[in-house]
Amino acid sequence: MHRVVVTGTGVISALGHNTAGFWQSLTTGTSGIREIENIDTSQIRFKHGAEVRGYVPEEYFEAKDISLMDRFAQFAVLSAREAIAEAGIEWTQALREETAVITGSCLGGRGAEESGYWELFHNGRTRVHPLTIPLSMSNAGASHICMRFGIEGPAYTISTACASSAHAIGQAFWMVRSGAAPLAIAGGSEAPMFLGGLKAWEALRVVSKDTCRPFSAERSGLVLGEGAGMLVLEPLEAALARGARPLAEIVGFGMSADAGHITQPVATGPSRAMKLALRDGGLSPEQIGYINAHGTATEANDRIETAAIHSVFGSHAGKLAVSSTKSMHGHALGAAGAIEAVSSILSLRHGILPPTANFLTADPVCDLDVIPNQARMASVEACLSNSFAFGGLNAVLAFKAFV
């Protein structure tokens, strides 16, 4: 069994087109939630989202590549490219043949599908774009990463709603730890800003009409986001041997199913996933100093997550710092866990805990230290990153500071 470290991170989100911009926004409590610009929202009751603004595909890809890649797949490749560059991977044919690429996506290229349906049902066309299938398939992100870097090892995509990329990172971690893969690129990507998708979320009545206020008494729902996050995972001994700089150590992964309701969470499932992550990482509850919460700002999620944290940590829950970075980058669905994993890793590395932005008034039911509005300097030994999905599927990642 190998110790596994993170040697590279990549992010594109509403908070910036790279990790540096993302981290700068997090530490200053800057929200990327604004009025949606990329589509006409006149038919939608909510007007705000966390879009990747100023993104011009032609600045990153050749025209022939753009024609083959939906927005979500472009995000996946860009974040993987950044993570691989930071890790300083020196590719050999043997490494390419064994490296794993595991991604998560809730929707895949559903926007490309919608464009085709629009032409069929609205414009009376009899054909759709001939590349609709490769554009829309959920594994396109993983496939394009493999093609971009010539990776020929195990590659697949996990779709477990909002836990997708946390599951992907956890599976990749286990593969590297066991020796099944000498290196893994893992994370997730999402691009949900298209009319049909937004109307579907509108119908659920869980989207805020103003902004995202996790754990605040005034919270009124989630705000959708987009983007991607990717990690490079490798054995500690291999990283040190080639002179790489570990950013953090990934030590545990826990997952569970509520076996309850398709949309209404219960505390037992999230509690079990957190306990399993601690057990897998050989961590005691007292070693955890911070939790990057799932924190969607819906009434049910924040209440249930608070109860689950109290259940797992007991009296130590009052000493934990807990924040939801969705208050700034929005809920990126299948990419959320990966984006939040990057945030957690950077928090450990830099000794800064990002805030829960947009916070107004404490909710007595959510009686946690949620780091309201301003980042906090704090050296933390270990942290958890929580991802809880519709369908009652839960994934929790445990990281330790690398010193």
Side-chain angles (χ1 to χ4, degrees), residues 9-32 82 226-231 292 325-326 328-330 332 335-347 354-355:
T9 63
V11 178
I12 181 167
S13 75
L15 301 184
H17 293 190
N18 52 43
T19 299
F22 172 74
W23 183 239
Q24 173 68 19
S25 294
L26 284 182
T27 55
T28 55
T30 303
S31 176
E82 182 185 17
E226 63 175 351
M230 292 289 167
L231 310 180
N292 187 300
T325 52
K326 287 184 178 72
M328 292 174 276
H329 56 67
I339 292 171
E340 291 156 20
V342 174
S343 173
S344 300
I345 291 161
L346 296 175
S347 296

Side-chain angles (χ1 to χ4, degrees), residues 5-12 17-23 26 75-89 169 184-187 228-234 242 245-249 338-347 349-350 399:
V5 291
V6 180
T7 53
T9 63
V11 178
I12 181 167
H17 293 190
N18 52 43
T19 299
F22 172 74
W23 183 239
L26 284 182
F75 290 162
V77 171
L78 288 177
S79 55
R81 180 190 297 170
E82 182 185 17
I84 290 168
E86 182 180 32
I89 301 299
I169 293 168
I185 299 160
M230 292 289 167
L231 310 180
V232 172
L233 308 179
E234 59 183 305
R242 66 182 187 83
R245 178 190 64 173
L247 305 177
E249 184 174 2
I339 292 171
E340 291 156 20
V342 174
S343 173
S344 300
I345 291 161
L346 296 175
S347 296
R349 178 153 188 81
H350 297 293
F399 298 97

Side-chain angles (χ1 to χ4, degrees), residues 42-361:
S42 60
Q43 300 179 56
I44 306 169
R45 284 196 295 269
F46 61 88
K47 310 296 181 185
H48 293 84
E51 293 176 298
V52 177
R53 291 175 178 260
Y55 174 68
V56 180
E58 290 78 8
E59 294 179 359
Y60 301 98
F61 301 100
E62 295 181 11
K64 63 180 180 63
D65 296 322
I66 294 171
S67 67
L68 293 168
M69 301 171 71
D70 183 83
R71 187 176 174 94
F72 98 100
Q74 295 173 29
F75 290 162
V77 171
L78 288 177
S79 55
R81 180 190 297 170
E82 182 185 17
I84 290 168
E86 182 180 32
I89 301 299
E90 296 181 2
W91 294 108
T92 64
Q93 184 56 32
L95 186 59
R96 285 189 168 99
E97 289 177 357
E98 296 182 343
T99 293
V101 176
I102 307 177
T103 63
S105 186
C106 176
L107 300 175
R110 197 72 58 81
E113 276 190 353
E114 177 170 285
S115 296
Y117 295 152
W118 187 267
E119 292 300 316
L120 284 175
F121 304 135
H122 185 76
N123 292 338
R125 300 285 179 86
T126 59
R127 299 173 58 193
V128 299
H129 192 286
L131 298 176
T132 298
I133 294 298
L135 284 166
S136 61
M137 61 190 190
S138 294
N139 62 292
S143 296
H144 281 287
I145 292 169
C146 289
M147 291 184 287
R148 182 71 51 168
F149 297 99
I151 297 169
E152 300 174 353
Y156 59 94
T157 294
I158 294 172
S159 185
T160 49
C162 306
S164 298
S165 56
H167 275 119
I169 293 168
Q171 291 287 308
F173 160 57
W174 280 353
M175 290 181 73
V176 175
R177 185 173 67 176
S178 71
L183 183 77
I185 299 160
S189 61
E190 209 78 89
M193 301 296 182
F194 54 93
L195 181 60
L198 298 184
K199 290 296 288 185
W201 280 99
E202 177 188 76
L204 278 173
R205 299 183 181 275
V206 295
V207 180
S208 174
K209 292 183 179 179
D210 58 359
T211 194
C212 181
R213 305 184 191 278
F215 303 111
S216 178
E218 296 83 0
R219 66 189 183 277
S220 57
L222 61 85
V223 172
L224 292 169
E226 63 175 351
M230 292 289 167
L231 310 180
V232 172
L233 308 179
E234 59 183 305
L236 172 61
E237 62 271 25
L240 295 180
R242 66 182 187 83
R245 178 190 64 173
L247 305 177
E249 184 174 2
I250 178 168
V251 296
F253 174 49
M255 51 183 168
S256 68
D258 291 357
H261 191 275
I262 197 69
T263 60
Q264 295 300 315
V266 295
T268 52
S271 297
R272 189 178 306 110
M274 283 188 277
K275 289 176 181 177
L276 289 170
L278 292 173
R279 187 175 74 183
D280 189 49
L283 296 168
S284 68
E286 291 72 27
Q287 287 177 275
I288 302 298
Y290 170 65
I291 297 177
N292 187 300
H294 187 57
T296 61
T298 61
E299 181 66 27
N301 176 88
D302 291 4
R303 173 174 47 83
I304 291 298
E305 187 165 13
T306 299
I309 290 170
H310 278 290
S311 173
V312 173
F313 291 94
S315 60
H316 185 61
K319 303 174 185 177
L320 281 171
V322 180
S323 69
S324 172
T325 52
K326 287 184 178 72
S327 59
M328 292 174 276
H329 56 67
H331 192 346
L333 305 179
I339 292 171
E340 291 156 20
V342 174
S343 173
S344 300
I345 291 161
L346 296 175
S347 296
L348 292 175
R349 178 153 188 81
H350 297 293
I352 304 174
L353 306 182
T356 300
N358 310 314
F359 191 86
L360 295 178
T361 307

